[in-house]
Amino acid sequence: MNPPLRRALGHWRAPVCVLAAAAALLFYVPFLVVVATSWTGGEFVLFPPQGFSLRWYASVLGDPEWAQAFRTSLWTSAVATAVAVVIGTLGALALSRLRSRTGRRLLRTLFIVPIAIPPVAYGAGLYLVNIGSEPLYGTFVLFVLGEAVLGAPYVFVLVANRLEQTDPTLHPAAATLGASWPMILWRVDLPLVLPSVLRGTLFAFVVIFDEVVLSVFLVPVGGRTLPLQMLGASQEAFSPQLTAASTLVSVVAVAALALFGLAARIRKDPP
Amino acid sequence: MTDQLTLRRSAARPAPRARPRPAPSAERVVLLAAPLLFLALMLAAPLAELLGRSLADGGAALRTALGSAVFLDAVWRTLWLALVATLVTVGLGTVYALAVAVGPAWVRAFLVAGLLVSLWTSVMVRTFGWMLLELPTGALYWLLHNLGLADAPLQVFQTTAAMYPAMVAVMLPFAVLAVLGPVTAIDRDLLAAAAVSGAGPLLTFRTVVLPSLRGAMISGGVLVFVMSLGFYVTPLLLGGPSNLTVSGLINAQLRTANRIDVGAAMSVLLIAGTVGAYLIADRLFRVSERWGGR
């Protein structure tokens, strides 16, 4: 709520709100269409849906192919997120300790540049590395590490922003009191950045779980992640099974995030 | 000239703070070396492979890529798509963020919930939604037909035009998030001063609101532009095989045409374009400082 800004916009306030609400429809409508088509009773994806039935949900949940894709996505995303969180957090901590302007600039650029690299080009490069390296080929190693590279910038940005806002005198104070650097890291920095690290974990996980391009190039033959399964299904036969699976994934994601938000709120202000 | 620039830059920033004392070397090794080594390796190895493939045989693959009309077509299509998506999302994103700040409670709730839905559902799911909307007899046709506005099935799906609304919808949250923080941080005293001096909404917008948001709009725009250049799923599914963007074309080279070298050359060019655009923007507008703390 921002009364001065509201007053400043004057009679432009109503058009601004109307335009924004129309833009919000760009978010709602496609999602609602996916949800609606998933409860069709018919054989095809049709809008409006024919009747109401949950048969396609039963079909997805009973399908071992979807279940396996979901499990693969879950564990690869979890491992990749863990790597991304360690790398991103260490990088942000290093940034807060660097004094050289150029060094800080280079470090920041290195950590943010993976966002600017197109996933297809990165995936193609990793694919070439993958086919050339005998022990790694046929495993998920490069896939998971590549996903970690794509997730790390988000952790880095969140943690680095938090560290920017911390009191710079804490470090000298702790050092004067005789704390060694691992002690300072453990007792001063980590408690300060922990909420940002958790948020970064969540964000990186969502980004990685959603990422399809590296799956296309790097998942070993026979393996399938959920996005890959969805992409394949959309190109072969666009069936209500796909929209039912999409709805399920979205509902799980939103529920998990709502729980996370609730937990964060409860921790912040205990009743 | 350089001195002047430095001076201006430091004047524009908050007062410099005491930096922490020099870090002991073990600390540096653990904190800095590990992530640096990981990132450098994971970025350098794929890039070296791509460069090696595209420069083999005296750059034959690179010449093939640059001489191919399909590739140049895709480059223009991609650039145009990214540019339009950027301009529209930055404009719309600013309006969205302003509305979140000034709207009545129910509008705010509607807007924030929409933002969350879009952020937390997968890009692919949202793209499926756009497919279902844009199919010849899809949801959009159903709506238009029932309103009496369309009597023949729509000819939008798998055209270039089909990609635009979906790209805007996918990229809009990034633009909104970039501007949302600065919108809530607009100096209230400045707004009050403008009001006291009798400035109307347009003048206030031009002299107070816009200058406070400009930096965020630019960095959000750069983010959207760079991400749009490399975007894969949405253009591929909505644009179809005859309207490929550069990403789609690389995918086709590697997976169906089996021209790994040409795909590698195109990848190198695409990386050079996006990273180049990012680095130039970073130099001009200090984008990464805005994203990654000072």
Side-chain angles (χ1 to χ4, degrees), chain A:
Chain A
M1 209 48 92
N2 194 334
L5 185 58
R6 175 185 290 196
R7 238 172 289 129
L9 286 184
H11 53 264
W12 287 93
R13 201 177 135 226
V16 161
C17 288
V18 169
L19 188 55
L25 289 181
L26 292 176
F27 298 149
Y28 284 109
V29 172
F31 180 62
L32 293 178
V33 170
V34 169
V35 174
T37 52
S38 70
W39 64 53
T40 183
E43 289 295 319
F44 305 104
V45 174
L46 282 179
F47 193 90
Q50 303 167 300
F52 180 88
S53 116
L54 295 178
R55 58 182 278 215
W56 292 106
Y57 288 87
S59 146
V60 164
L61 291 174
D63 189 332
E65 223 176 74
W66 283 97
Q68 199 229 326
F70 185 71
R71 274 200 304 276
T72 306
S73 261
L74 217 51
W75 78 260
T76 52
S77 307
V79 177
T81 304
V83 176
V85 167
V86 170
I87 297 295
T89 308
L90 285 180
L93 288 168
L95 182 73
S96 75
R97 282 159 170 74
L98 270 186
R99 284 150 41 93
S100 132
R101 231 188 146 81
T102 325
R104 290 164 64 79
R105 189 183 175 84
L106 285 177
L107 186 65
R108 233 176 1 230
T109 305
L110 181 70
F111 265 90
I112 292 181
V113 102
I115 298 184
I117 297 181
V120 171
Y122 186 56
L126 274 181
Y127 169 75
L128 294 175
V129 175
N130 202 23
I131 54 176
S133 50
E134 194 44 58
L136 296 183
Y137 188 70
T139 68
F140 280 92
V141 174
L142 272 182
F143 169 64
V144 166
L145 293 182
E147 296 282 14
V149 169
L150 298 185
Y154 300 96
V155 182
F156 174 80
V157 166
L158 284 168
V159 178
N161 276 334
R162 176 78 188 106
L163 282 170
E164 270 310 304
Q165 296 155 7
T166 57
D167 185 349
T169 57
L170 282 176
H171 275 234
T176 311
L177 292 173
S180 61
W181 73 263
M183 176 70 105
I184 297 179
L185 191 66
W186 186 249
R187 301 288 295 273
V188 177
D189 286 308
L190 281 186
L192 278 173
V193 298
L194 194 62
S196 304
V197 171
L198 287 180
R199 269 197 299 153
T201 308
L202 193 70
F203 215 95
F205 186 84
V206 171
V207 167
I208 290 171
F209 194 84
D210 194 17
E211 212 287 318
V212 64
V213 185
L214 294 192
S215 303
V216 168
F217 288 105
L218 294 169
V219 165
V221 180
R224 248 177 202 198
T225 60
L226 196 61
L228 197 54
Q229 170 80 13
M230 287 164 87
L231 187 67
S234 79
Q235 286 172 330
E236 286 154 20
F238 206 110
S239 88
Q241 201 185 26
L242 176 60
T243 55
S246 300
T247 309
L248 278 176
V249 177
S250 309
V251 168
V252 168
V254 169
L257 285 155
L259 277 179
F260 182 86
L262 207 63
R265 185 162 303 169
I266 288 171
R267 242 185 33 150
K268 209 182 282 170
D269 35 35

Side-chain angles (χ1 to χ4, degrees), chain A residues 1-6 8-13 16-17 19-21 23-31 33-34 37 45 47-48 83 87 90-91 93-99 101 104-105 107-122 124-129 131 142 145-146 148-149 154 156-157 160-161 164-166 168 171-172 175 181 184-185 202-203 206 210 212-213 216-217 227 230-231 234-235 238 242-243 246 250 253-254 257, chain B residues 9 13 17-24 26-28 30-32 34-36 38-39 42-43 45-46 49-50 53 92 95-96 98-99 101-104 107-111 113-115 117-126 128-133 137 139 142 168-169 172-173 183-184 186 188 191 201-202 204-205 209 223 226-227 230 232-233 236-237 247 250-251 254-255 260 264 267 270-271 274-275 278-279 282-283 286 288-294:
Chain A
M1 209 48 92
N2 194 334
L5 185 58
R6 175 185 290 196
L9 286 184
H11 53 264
W12 287 93
R13 201 177 135 226
V16 161
C17 288
L19 188 55
L25 289 181
L26 292 176
F27 298 149
Y28 284 109
V29 172
F31 180 62
V33 170
V34 169
T37 52
V45 174
F47 193 90
V83 176
I87 297 295
L90 285 180
L93 288 168
L95 182 73
S96 75
R97 282 159 170 74
L98 270 186
R99 284 150 41 93
R101 231 188 146 81
R104 290 164 64 79
R105 189 183 175 84
L107 186 65
R108 233 176 1 230
T109 305
L110 181 70
F111 265 90
I112 292 181
V113 102
I115 298 184
I117 297 181
V120 171
Y122 186 56
L126 274 181
Y127 169 75
L128 294 175
V129 175
I131 54 176
L142 272 182
L145 293 182
V149 169
Y154 300 96
F156 174 80
V157 166
N161 276 334
E164 270 310 304
Q165 296 155 7
T166 57
H171 275 234
W181 73 263
I184 297 179
L185 191 66
L202 193 70
F203 215 95
V206 171
D210 194 17
V212 64
V213 185
V216 168
F217 288 105
M230 287 164 87
L231 187 67
S234 79
Q235 286 172 330
F238 206 110
L242 176 60
T243 55
S246 300
S250 309
V254 169
L257 285 155
Chain B
R9 212 176 277 151
R13 292 166 163 221
R17 302 172 326 193
R19 291 267 189 231
R21 68 211 161 75
E27 184 176 6
R28 246 178 220 214
V30 173
L31 291 181
L32 193 55
L36 270 189
F38 175 79
L39 269 188
M42 285 300 291
L43 293 177
E49 281 283 349
L50 289 176
R53 297 275 178 150
L92 215 51
V95 168
Y96 204 99
L98 283 174
V102 304
V107 171
R108 289 155 50 88
F110 183 72
L111 296 179
L115 205 57
V117 163
S118 148
L119 275 177
W120 301 128
T121 52
S122 124
V123 173
M124 204 164 327
V125 171
R126 283 181 274 151
F128 292 157
W130 284 100
M131 283 174 84
L132 295 171
L133 275 168
T137 53
W142 173 78
V168 167
L172 187 56
V183 161
T184 51
I186 294 178
R188 293 176 181 221
L191 289 171
L202 280 183
T204 311
F205 184 78
V209 178
L223 176 70
V226 165
M227 285 172 81
Y232 174 82
V233 183
L236 186 72
L237 290 182
S247 285
I250 292 172
N251 181 53
L254 285 167
R255 287 158 52 78
I260 294 183
S267 301
L270 181 60
I271 292 179
T274 54
V275 173
Y278 168 72
L279 289 178
D282 191 27
R283 204 77 200 165
R286 321 209 128 239
S288 61
E289 294 190 4
R290 214 168 275 280
W291 295 349
R294 242 179 308 278

Side-chain angles (χ1 to χ4, degrees), chain B residues 69-159:
Chain B
V70 179
F71 178 66
L72 298 180
D73 253 15
V75 168
W76 282 119
R77 190 174 292 118
T78 309
L79 275 177
W80 196 239
L81 179 70
L83 195 65
V84 172
T86 305
L87 292 178
V88 175
T89 48
V90 169
L92 215 51
T94 306
V95 168
Y96 204 99
L98 283 174
V100 169
V102 304
W106 64 272
V107 171
R108 289 155 50 88
F110 183 72
L111 296 179
V112 171
L115 205 57
L116 291 181
V117 163
S118 148
L119 275 177
W120 301 128
T121 52
S122 124
V123 173
M124 204 164 327
V125 171
R126 283 181 274 151
T127 305
F128 292 157
W130 284 100
M131 283 174 84
L132 295 171
L133 275 168
E134 292 176 352
L135 285 171
T137 53
L140 205 56
Y141 169 73
W142 173 78
L143 179 71
L144 291 177
H145 186 71
N146 285 350
L147 291 176
L149 294 174
D151 19 82
L154 302 180
Q155 306 291 330
V156 189
F157 186 55
Q158 304 225 317
T159 64

